[in-house]
Amino acid sequence: MRLATLKQYEKPAIFLLLLVAAIGLDHFHQTKLASSYEKGKVALKKGKLDSALYFFADTTRQDPDNPAAHLALAQTYESKGWTDQALSQYEIAELKAMHSLLMVQSQKDQYHQQAHKSLEKKNTKNRVKKDR
């Protein structure tokens, strides 16, 4: 039952993570976080689950809003057979990814509104010049 619930979150969380990364929100490229996150990825690939767990948990402590770190932590928990912890982290990853997407949408809407206002202002000035 719990494993089926885990699988329910894995694909949407991975999709949202990829979407967030694709739109440039993967903001921890060249920092200490990247080092810890990358070490976790390497450890996970090598099957060193305890090391991966340490590095991913460290990344989530330092950057709790990072969906990639929560997803990696969830995958590590799942690999260890810790389904309750994995499920919790999949849910967190999904929430963090959705929050990031909402923030991007909000910024996009603000930019759109500003562009629209600027165009209206320009068009108004042009009409006034033509009327003279």
Side-chain angles (χ1 to χ4, degrees):
M1 174 79 174
R2 286 303 247 179
L3 191 55
T5 307
L6 281 175
K7 293 299 178 191
Q8 159 190 341
Y9 286 100
E10 185 174 23
K11 286 184 180 177
I14 290 170
F15 169 76
L16 290 171
L17 174 64
L18 291 173
L19 185 58
V20 168
I23 56 179
L25 292 179
D26 188 13
H27 63 279
F28 59 97
H29 297 312
Q30 300 165 343
T31 64
K32 183 176 183 263
L33 289 174
S35 174
S36 187
Y37 180 77
E38 291 301 321
K39 287 177 183 176
K41 285 179 22 179
V42 169
L44 188 59
K45 268 187 180 173
K46 291 181 177 181
K48 297 181 178 182
L49 300 180
D50 290 333
S51 293
L53 189 65
Y54 170 81
F55 289 119
F56 292 139
D58 182 52
T59 305
T60 61
R61 276 190 299 277
Q62 292 180 51
D63 187 5
D65 293 328
N66 185 323
H70 288 284
L71 180 61
L73 187 56
Q75 292 168 331
T76 306
Y77 281 140
E78 187 175 3
S79 294
K80 288 182 74 64
W82 299 357
T83 54
D84 289 339
Q85 294 90 333
L87 177 59
S88 175
Q89 289 300 314
Y90 279 126
E91 290 171 347
I92 292 169
E94 183 178 28
L95 290 172
K96 300 299 180 178
M98 289 299 293
H99 176 74
S100 294
L101 289 172
L102 289 173
M103 295 294 288
V104 167
Q105 183 62 45
S106 175
Q107 282 182 326
K108 179 183 160 256
D109 291 345
Q110 288 174 357
Y111 297 148
H112 178 77
Q113 288 172 359
Q114 184 61 43
H116 186 69
K117 285 179 185 177
S118 295
L119 286 174
E120 278 183 17
K121 198 177 204 180
K122 182 179 178 182
N123 289 337
T124 301
K125 284 182 183 180
N126 287 341
R127 276 190 295 245
V128 169
K129 284 182 183 178
K130 286 181 182 179
D131 290 344
R132 289 185 182 174

